[in-house]
Amino acid sequence: MMMKLIGGLLVLFTTSWLGFTLAGHVRERPKQIRQLRAYLALLQTEIEYGTRPLAEACANIAEHEDNEVSALFRASAHQLMKRDGSSTFECFKRAIDQEWRQTALQQAEQDVLLQLCQVLGTSDRHDQVHHLTMACNHLELEEKRARDEQDRSEKMYKTMGVLSGALLVILMI
């Protein structure tokens, strides 16, 4: 009997933890999109008014905070500083591939970032600033969608985690 009780509590704890983890992921996405937009705005300012190379600008942006999104810029700066003959896009792509799983961001945000990276370092300042503005606008729409998804899904994930655990415990008994 004691083993069933411990097993039931373990199942309930595990499913609840899974539900709360998924809810946290949904909650983090709008926040990280907002951070990404802020970092892109800083990059836009660096490109428009600054004289630093792109690698230094990315490194400077990454120093503002230590979070999952700033790690994208840190990895990008590292890739750009390698100077291994790779294009700017290839450096950003490797950094995104390396760090993306650590974020709560989804494919839509990755697509926006990759489209932007195709322009960075390959066109004049005006064109890069224009593309940065477009990327920020697109990310603003994605942030609204992410907030809507958060409103719909966060509580559901928590509830489903606890209730599925309770159902499994009841079925076990």
Side-chain angles (χ1 to χ4, degrees):
M1 183 66 176
M2 186 65 154
M3 292 301 280
K4 278 188 177 184
L5 180 63
I6 292 172
L9 288 174
L10 190 60
V11 167
L12 183 63
F13 173 76
T14 303
T15 58
S16 297
W17 173 78
L18 184 60
F20 277 81
T21 300
L22 291 171
H25 193 72
V26 169
R27 185 178 50 253
E28 279 296 307
R29 184 172 173 233
K31 177 183 167 190
Q32 290 184 4
I33 294 173
R34 204 169 28 260
Q35 289 171 339
L36 182 58
R37 284 180 47 222
Y39 294 153
L40 290 179
L42 289 172
L43 184 60
Q44 181 177 352
T45 302
E46 286 280 350
I47 289 173
E48 197 166 13
Y49 302 110
T51 57
R52 296 179 211 208
L54 189 55
E56 285 182 34
C58 288
N60 185 41
I61 290 168
E63 290 176 5
H64 286 303
E65 292 180 48
D66 187 24
N67 56 46
E68 295 85 358
V69 180
S70 67
L72 287 169
F73 286 88
R74 190 174 302 106
S76 298
H78 178 71
Q79 291 292 329
L80 289 166
M81 288 179 188
K82 278 184 181 179
R83 299 179 192 238
D84 61 358
S86 299
S87 70
T88 304
F89 174 75
E90 291 168 337
C91 291
F92 275 101
K93 175 97 171 81
R94 280 195 302 257
I96 289 169
D97 290 343
Q98 174 186 338
E99 297 293 332
W100 199 260
R101 287 187 193 99
Q102 310 308 318
T103 69
L105 300 172
Q106 293 184 352
Q107 188 65 42
E109 293 86 33
Q110 186 177 23
D111 292 342
V112 169
L113 204 52
L114 288 173
Q115 286 176 356
L116 172 65
C117 293
Q118 289 178 340
V119 176
L120 289 178
T122 61
S123 60
D124 65 356
R125 285 182 185 210
H126 177 72
D127 193 41
Q128 291 179 50
V129 168
H130 173 72
H131 279 85
L132 279 160
T133 302
M134 287 181 11
C136 286
N137 290 341
H138 196 122
L139 287 172
E140 185 177 0
L141 292 173
E142 290 301 326
E143 183 183 348
K144 287 177 185 173
R145 288 184 190 134
R147 271 190 262 119
D148 290 343
E149 181 183 345
Q150 178 187 3
D151 292 342
R152 284 191 320 271
S153 303
E154 184 178 12
K155 188 173 182 179
M156 178 194 66
Y157 282 133
K158 291 176 183 177
T159 305
M160 290 299 291
V162 173
L163 291 179
S164 64
L167 177 65
L168 287 173
V169 169
I170 289 170
L171 291 175
M172 286 174 36
I173 297 177

